[in-house]
Structure formats: C-alpha cells, structure tokens
C-alpha cells in the first residue's frame, strides 16, 4: 500500500501559518482530556479564520455560528478555548493539510455510536480512511495508528479486532474547510484589526471585550517568566510495511500560558464502548456508547509529553475544583487566574484532581449488615399501594366544607373563592358543585373542591393529597419510581469527616423497561443510565436514621422517577427525585461527597418534604 506524501511541521511562537506561497487547508482543533486533537466543524473553522483576519490577538465567540458551542470562547493570543459556565480551559491549534485531502474536499467520515448518533473521526484518521477509499482498497487496518479496528468499505462498517463487534460507518459530504495561502510571521506582535463596523453587543462579546485587557497581560507576564520551551517534536517515523500511515501535517498548538504537568506513561488501548467526549461540544459531557477512536492508543499517548511543567513556587489553581457548597461559580476560577496574572501574580490553571467515587475493594467477608436495620435488600415491582376508587372521596376525606368563604383567590384556578371554580365546564363530577369551597384539615388553606379534584386527577392518584400552597401531605404519598432493587450494608472504610466510623453503602439498581400508565409516555421504553448507583452514609445514629427513611422512600417509589436528565438532556430516562444522595466516596470535588457537615440534616428535611419522617413511619 503506497504511503501518502509527507507534510511540513513548522512550530512558530504564535499562530501556525503554512509555508510561503503554498496553499493549505486550515483545520482548527481542540485537545480533549484523552490528549487527542478533535477538529471543529468546517463552519466553525471558517468563522475562526474570519475573526483571525480582522484581529489576530482577539477572541472568537463560537456560539455565533454553532448553538451547541454557546459557552465556548477561543482566545487567539493564548491559543486556548475557555468554557464560561465551568471555567475549563483547553489548548487549541491551527492545523494544515493538503488541499486534496478529505477536509479540503469537505469529506467527513463518521461512525455510529450506541445511541444511534454519528461521531466524526479525528482528522488524521479521517484522511487515512479517505486515502484508502480513493485507492479502492477493500479494507483498512488502523493498527498503525494505535487502534485495533478494521474498516470494511464494501459493507461500510468498522470492526473491533478483539471483540469482533461491528459498527456502521458513513462518508458524508460537508462544507470544505477554509483554504489559506501565506507566509510565516517572525513574531507574535500582530496589529490589532481596525474594524469599521460597530462591535457586537451580545453578552458573550461583551464578556470577551471586558476581559481582553487582562488576557493580554497574561501573555506578557508569562513570556517574561516562562522557562525556555523544549525543542519541537520530530515527525513520527513511518508505519510498518504494508499499512497505510497517516499523513503528518503542519501544526502549531500555541504556547501554553498555564503549563500542565507532564504526561504520564502511555495508556493501554481503551476497551470498546468507553465514552469519550462528544466532538460537537468541546469539553462537554461524555456521550454514552462511543468507542475508543477518540482516545490515545499505545502509540498516541505522548503528544503532550513535551508540555512544560509548572514552575516551582507558582501556585496552582484547579479550575474545576469548586464544589457545590462554595459561594463562587466554577467559571470564576478561570477568571481568577486571569486577574491574578494581570496583577503580576504568577498562577497556573491546572486540571482539578479526579473525584474518588468508590472505596477500596472490599471482600464479601468484610461486608456486614447495618445494625438496627433489618435485612440487606428491598425490591419494588409494580405499583403496590391501593388507589382510591373516586377522586371526590379522596378530596372530601381531607377537607372540611366552608359555608362562607372569604373573598380571596383560589391559588389553583386563580378565580375568587366566592365565585365558581375555573374548572366549571371542564370537569363534571356528580355531587361536586363548582362553587363549593373546602379547607384542608391541618394547614387550613382553602380551595374550590372542583379545583382539588382536577389537581388530584392529574397526579399520581395514589390516595394522597398535597397542599399546593404549603406542600403539606395528606395520606401516604407515593411516586412513580420504576421497578428495581435497593441493597445496603456496612463496609470497613471511613468517609472524610467520619474518621472513626464505618460506612453504610447503598446500591440502587434499576433496569431499563417500558413506561407504565403513571409515567410521562406510557408504553414507551425508558433508559436507566449509570446503574447500579453507589451511595454512602456514615454509620452513626443519624446516618442509620437516614437509611431507615430512605428505605421507606424506596418502598414508596420516591427515590427515582422517569423524566429528562439535567446532566445529559436525555428524556425518558431514570433520574433522581429531589432526595439528594452522596455518590462520591473519598472526596467532595463534585459537591456529591464528603465532608459535608450539613448533608444529613438537609436530606432529612428533603425526606420530610416527601412525607417521609420517623413520626409518619411509626404511625
């Protein structure tokens, strides 16, 4: 198999530019957490190039051309991408390829993940696949790139050589990446572009303009203090005979203003199905079901080993190490570094340490029952609480008739209590006249009886009633949690903040299934991501009290529900139901771990709000 022509690699102290008078296709890329360069789309690259022509020291607001990239800004001077809502910063680079390659023709190769979505390959892999496709090879072995995959062009599929699993493949025609011809500048002292038009007044551009002066100060400060850069890496040697090697490209990733620690040893090949970041949202949440083509292979993990380490004596600011209990928004971590540098104070923005989600391994003989809590497991199957036969009977059970109601609003229909219910003509129930008004027994709030009947009929219809004003619960409230299993036991490890106390581990496991009549979309399949889920409590008096009430909440189907995930945006999936759990065992980097002195009191209050308390449980 013939080898494609060699490119040119020319690192420059600034933006990358092609050799003089040579046309090259420009592809902007960002570095993900697996040390792989992921390309922006052609549309985004055109936008970045347009901004670059006007102001080579400016900033690029990616949300102006791609709604999925609204939080992201690229600082062209530091060559970093900044995410405003989390403070995450990632290096970017301006990469060059031959105009006859895949990006120059607008050709994109993609593979299908487990969710049915299409994910673009890294640009070097895309070019390699396209070269083999154009030469009409029946198949392509990606082992020369560090991946154990075979590409079959006849069936348009990708096969894992170890597991034999196949995924669909497709070749898509898109917008061609921008073409540029230019010379290599001698320095990074770019003239600021003088635009004759008015600046954009959107919120993102206002943020960029307000922080640009501080960003420029970073470069000058770090340029004075930074140690000499290591020599540029040499192009990799050719692959083994008979394989199709990737075409090296002319690349510059920009000087790292905030140096990260040197990369560790090369990672082993990732097992299939592990979730890398989505290429459509740099630095965003992982997408389930993706394979390992966006992770470093055995030959690919040293791409950042030449990055400088943090100078001694310079404080490190972990940009994602702010838990939910702090008063500062995580995005301000990045801005803090900018302001410190602008004031002449050296600081390094580094990756935060990874959370410790699980305890050390525990043998079965060390797992013990929780004292004072019978059993080690609870299962829920179908809805087990009896429903009332008649909504009017439920409402009348908890209300007292009011003969002379006050001239106030009914907070359900917003009509006056002295007039008929707003549901008159909408609901017709024998024996419930629209002008009837009742008072709830304990809290004393008054409503039209017909309004409460409508509210009850639109809910879970489990024989309980909840006051819409003060949330007081009448009867035994149950939820819509799908069938599953809850296990709980003691493990011989301590949580942070509870050094002399063993730990209660709770394991929730809910399988995927079909939604029932009480769910948002009856008859439709629901997903259950992240199960089994492990949660932790200290084994003290209050921790055991919380466990007993959580067991009651589980049996009433109140722990989980089916809805839309706040994390991934996925609908028709199992989500938490307003009772917070601690899922981080050995740290509190995400806000879902320990130490947290107020957690046990807070979760007791949340359980009480769901009608679960010791007084009710004993009654």
């Amino acid at each position: 198999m013939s080898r494609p022509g060699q490119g040119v690699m020319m690192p420059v102290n600034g933006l990358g530019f092609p050799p003089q008078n040579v046309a090259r296709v420009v592809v902007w890329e960002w570095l993900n957490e697996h040390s792989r360069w992921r390309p922006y789309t052609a549309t985004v690259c055109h936008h970045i190039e347009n901004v670059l022509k006007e102001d080579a020291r400016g900033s690029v607001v990616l949300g102006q051309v791609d709604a999925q990239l609204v939080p992201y800004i690229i600082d062209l001077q530091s060559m970093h991408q900044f995410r405003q809502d989390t403070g995450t910063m990632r290096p970017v680079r301006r990469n060059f390829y031959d105009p006859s390659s895949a990006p120059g023709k607008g050709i994109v190769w993609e593979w299908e993940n487990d969710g049915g979505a299409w994910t673009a390959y890294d640009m070097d892999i895309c070019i390699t696949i396209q070269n083999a496709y154009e030469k009409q090879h029946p198949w392509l072995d990606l082992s020369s790139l560090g991946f154990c995959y075979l590409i079959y062009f006849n069936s348009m599929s990708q096969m894992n050589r170890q597991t034999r699993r196949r995924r669909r493949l497709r070749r898509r025609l898109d917008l061609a990446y921008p073409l540029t011809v230019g010379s290599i500048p001698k320095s990074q002292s770019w003239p600021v572009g003088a635009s004759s038009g008015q600046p954009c007044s959107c919120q993102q551009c206002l943020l960029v303009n307000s922080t640009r002066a501080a960003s420029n100060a970073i470069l000058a400060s770090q340029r004075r203090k930074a140690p000499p850069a290591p020599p540029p890496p040499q192009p990799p040697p050719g692959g083994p005979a008979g394989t199709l090697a990737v075409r090296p490209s002319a690349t510059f990733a920009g000087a790292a203003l905030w140096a990260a620690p040197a990369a560790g040893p090369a990672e082993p090949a990732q097992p299939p199905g592990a979730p890398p970041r989505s290429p459509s949202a740099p630095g965003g949440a992982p997408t389930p079901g993706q394979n390992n083509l966006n992770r470093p292979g055995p030959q690919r993990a040293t791409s950042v080993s030449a990055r400088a380490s943090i100078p001694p004596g310079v404080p490190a600011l972990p940009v994602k190490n702010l838990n939910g209990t702090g008063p500062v928004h995580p995005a301000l971590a990045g801005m803090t570094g900018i302001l410190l540098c602008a004031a002449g104070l050296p600081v390094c923005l580094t990756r935060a340490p990874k959370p410790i989600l699980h305890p050390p391994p525990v043998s079965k003989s060390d797992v013990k029952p929780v004292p004072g809590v019978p059993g080690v497991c609870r299962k829920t199957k179908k809805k087990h609480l009896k429903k009332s036969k008649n909504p009017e009977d439920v409402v009348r059970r908890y209300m007292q008739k009011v003969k002379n109601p006050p001239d106030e609003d009914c907070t359900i229909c917003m009509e006056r209590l002295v007039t008929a219910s707003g549901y008159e003509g909408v609901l017709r129930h024998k024996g419930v006249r629209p002008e009837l008004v009742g008072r709830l027994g304990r809290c004393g709030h008054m409503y039209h009886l017909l309004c409460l009947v409508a509210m009850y009929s639109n809910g879970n219809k489990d024989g309980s009633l909840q006051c819409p004003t003060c949330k007081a619960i009448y009867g035994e409230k149950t939820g819509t949690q799908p069938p599953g299993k809850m296990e709980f036991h003691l493990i011989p490890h301590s949580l942070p903040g509870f050094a002399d106390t063993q730990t209660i581990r709770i394991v929730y496991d809910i399988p995927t299934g079909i939604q029932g009549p009480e769910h948002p979309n009856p008859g439709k399949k629901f997903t259950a991501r992240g199960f089994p889920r492990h949660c932790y409590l200290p084994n003290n008096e209050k921790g055991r009290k919380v466990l007993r009430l959580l067991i009651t909440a589980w049996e009433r189907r109140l722990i989980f529900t089916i809805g839309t995930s706040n994390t991934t945006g996925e609908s028709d999936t199992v989500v938490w139901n307003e009772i917070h759990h601690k899922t981080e065992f050995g740290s509190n980097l995400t806000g879902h771990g320990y130490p947290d002195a107020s957690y046990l009191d807070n979760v007791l209050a949340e359980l009480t709000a769901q009608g679960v308390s010791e007084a009710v449980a004993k009654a």
Side-chain angles (χ1 to χ4, degrees):
M1 190 176 293
S2 61
R3 180 185 178 86
Q6 294 288 335
V8 182
M9 181 174 289
M10 303 190 67
V12 186
N13 184 24
L15 296 169
F17 277 83
Q20 187 171 5
N21 300 325
V22 177
R24 287 289 184 268
V25 173
V26 179
V27 178
W28 285 81
E29 299 169 316
W30 57 278
L31 188 68
N32 69 9
E33 71 277 17
H34 306 303
S35 301
R36 292 202 59 82
W37 289 99
R38 300 291 296 137
Y40 294 98
T41 64
T43 302
V44 172
C45 290
H46 278 279
H47 176 57
I48 299 174
E49 287 293 302
N50 290 336
V51 176
L52 177 64
K53 293 176 184 177
E54 295 182 3
D55 186 358
R57 295 192 305 177
S59 299
V60 185
V61 181
L62 302 185
Q64 292 179 340
V65 292
D66 190 337
Q68 293 182 333
L69 305 183
V70 167
Y72 300 96
I73 294 174
I74 291 179
D75 178 28
L76 295 176
Q77 190 166 7
S78 68
M79 294 294 282
H80 274 74
Q81 168 194 278
F82 177 71
R83 178 165 178 163
Q84 301 175 68
D85 55 349
T86 64
T88 304
M89 302 186 72
R90 297 184 182 275
V92 300
R93 72 179 183 182
R94 189 176 187 233
N95 212 353
F96 299 98
Y97 297 95
D98 191 278
S100 63
S101 63
K105 299 176 181 178
I107 295 173
V108 181
W109 285 87
E110 299 172 322
W111 54 272
E112 186 180 32
N113 63 30
D114 291 343
W118 292 95
T119 303
Y121 287 95
D122 291 354
M123 190 55 69
D124 53 358
I125 298 176
C126 177
I127 291 175
T128 302
I129 296 175
Q130 178 62 21
N131 288 342
Y133 178 82
E134 291 177 350
K135 294 174 183 178
Q136 298 183 351
H137 293 296
W139 56 273
L140 170 65
D141 188 352
L142 295 180
S143 60
S144 64
L145 301 178
F147 301 106
C148 56
Y149 290 95
L150 293 173
I151 302 295
Y152 294 99
F153 294 107
N154 292 335
S155 60
M156 290 298 283
S157 63
Q158 162 198 290
M159 187 185 74
N160 188 311
R161 299 177 66 177
Q162 295 178 351
T163 65
R164 317 301 293 180
R165 182 180 181 182
R166 288 180 179 262
R167 295 179 183 271
R168 288 201 299 165
L169 186 74
R170 77 175 182 182
R171 177 178 180 267
R172 181 172 59 84
L173 191 62
D174 198 358
L175 178 69
Y177 279 80
L179 193 69
T180 186
V181 178
S183 58
I184 302 175
K186 299 300 182 183
S187 69
Q188 205 176 18
S189 301
W190 312 107
V192 178
S195 176
S196 58
Q198 295 294 325
C200 178
S201 60
C202 72
Q203 294 297 322
Q204 288 182 304
C205 288
L206 290 176
L207 173 62
V208 170
N209 293 332
S210 66
T211 59
R212 183 169 296 172
S215 300
N216 291 338
I218 299 173
L219 182 66
S221 172
Q222 293 295 327
R223 195 161 47 206
R224 292 192 301 268
K225 299 183 176 79
Q234 297 300 317
T243 61
L244 185 62
V246 64
R247 177 182 305 177
S249 57
T251 303
F252 179 69
L257 293 187
W258 301 279
E267 294 184 17
Q270 177 194 3
R277 301 260 181 179
S278 168
S280 63
T287 302
Q290 295 183 346
N291 65 9
N292 66 352
L293 285 174
N294 296 331
R295 276 184 179 260
Q299 305 170 10
R300 312 285 296 173
T302 58
S303 61
V304 295
S305 60
R307 296 172 66 185
S309 60
I310 299 175
V314 176
L317 178 66
V319 299
K320 297 175 70 177
N321 191 18
L322 292 177
N323 58 41
T325 61
V328 183
H329 191 279
L332 295 182
M335 300 306 299
T336 301
I338 291 176
L339 296 175
L340 287 173
C341 288
L345 301 174
V347 65
C348 291
L349 296 185
T350 65
R351 284 184 185 175
K354 294 183 178 180
I356 304 173
L357 299 178
H358 302 290
V362 180
S363 64
K364 290 184 178 180
S365 60
D366 291 332
V367 174
K368 305 295 182 182
V370 180
V373 180
V376 293
C377 180
R378 296 289 191 277
K379 294 182 179 180
T380 56
K381 296 182 180 179
K382 298 181 179 179
K383 194 173 183 68
H384 60 280
L385 293 177
K386 295 182 179 180
K387 299 180 181 179
S388 176
K389 297 180 180 180
N390 193 313
E392 294 92 332
D393 293 340
V394 176
V395 172
R396 291 181 184 276
R397 184 186 311 162
Y398 304 118
M399 295 200 71
Q400 301 170 356
K401 186 177 179 181
V402 177
K403 295 183 178 180
N404 299 310
D407 189 12
E408 298 175 355
D409 285 341
C410 170
T411 56
I412 298 177
C413 70
M414 301 310 296
E415 298 290 344
R416 308 298 285 182
L417 290 173
V418 294
T419 63
S421 167
Y423 284 92
E424 182 182 15
V426 179
L427 289 177
R428 295 184 180 276
H429 288 271
K430 296 180 179 180
V432 181
R433 300 194 305 273
E435 66 273 10
L436 289 179
V437 174
R439 177 189 291 108
L440 287 172
R442 291 203 310 272
C443 63
H445 290 109
M446 290 181 284
Y447 307 95
H448 292 111
L449 263 68
L450 190 60
C451 291
L452 284 174
V453 169
M455 183 187 73
Y456 177 84
S457 300
N458 195 42
N460 200 26
K461 297 187 284 291
D462 58 358
S464 69
L465 195 66
Q466 187 166 13
C467 176
T469 300
C470 66
K471 308 303 179 184
I473 297 174
Y474 296 81
E476 187 176 287
K477 179 182 177 181
T478 62
T480 60
Q481 177 180 286
K485 181 173 64 173
M486 173 188 184
E487 296 179 334
F488 42 90
H489 48 252
L490 279 185
I491 57 175
H493 298 291
S494 299
L495 294 167
F498 300 92
D500 299 325
T501 305
Q502 291 185 320
T503 298
I504 300 171
R505 178 166 60 187
I506 305 172
V507 182
Y508 296 111
D509 197 3
I510 295 179
T512 58
I514 304 299
Q515 298 183 49
E518 71 273 23
H519 294 137
N521 297 295
K524 184 177 180 180
K525 181 180 179 180
F526 67 85
T527 59
R529 309 289 187 191
F531 287 94
R533 299 188 185 182
H534 293 224
C535 309
Y536 304 95
L537 293 168
N539 181 33
N540 55 25
E541 184 178 352
K542 188 174 289 187
R544 290 189 292 271
K545 175 181 177 181
V546 170
L547 174 62
R548 288 191 293 268
L549 296 180
L550 287 176
I551 293 172
T552 301
W554 170 266
E555 293 173 340
R556 296 182 186 178
R557 305 173 70 199
L558 294 170
I559 301 292
F560 297 95
T561 187
I562 294 178
T564 301
S565 170
N566 291 329
T567 305
T568 65
E570 182 182 10
S571 58
D572 298 305
T573 189
V574 180
V575 296
W576 294 104
N577 187 34
E578 300 181 1
I579 300 175
H580 286 83
H581 286 64
K582 291 296 188 180
T583 56
E584 191 177 343
F585 174 80
S587 55
N588 195 17
L589 302 182
T590 64
H592 302 298
Y594 295 91
D596 185 345
S598 59
Y599 167 68
L600 295 178
D601 291 327
N602 290 340
V603 74
L604 286 173
E606 291 173 344
L607 287 162
T608 301
Q610 296 286 343
V612 181
S613 64
E614 280 193 321
V616 174
K618 293 177 181 179

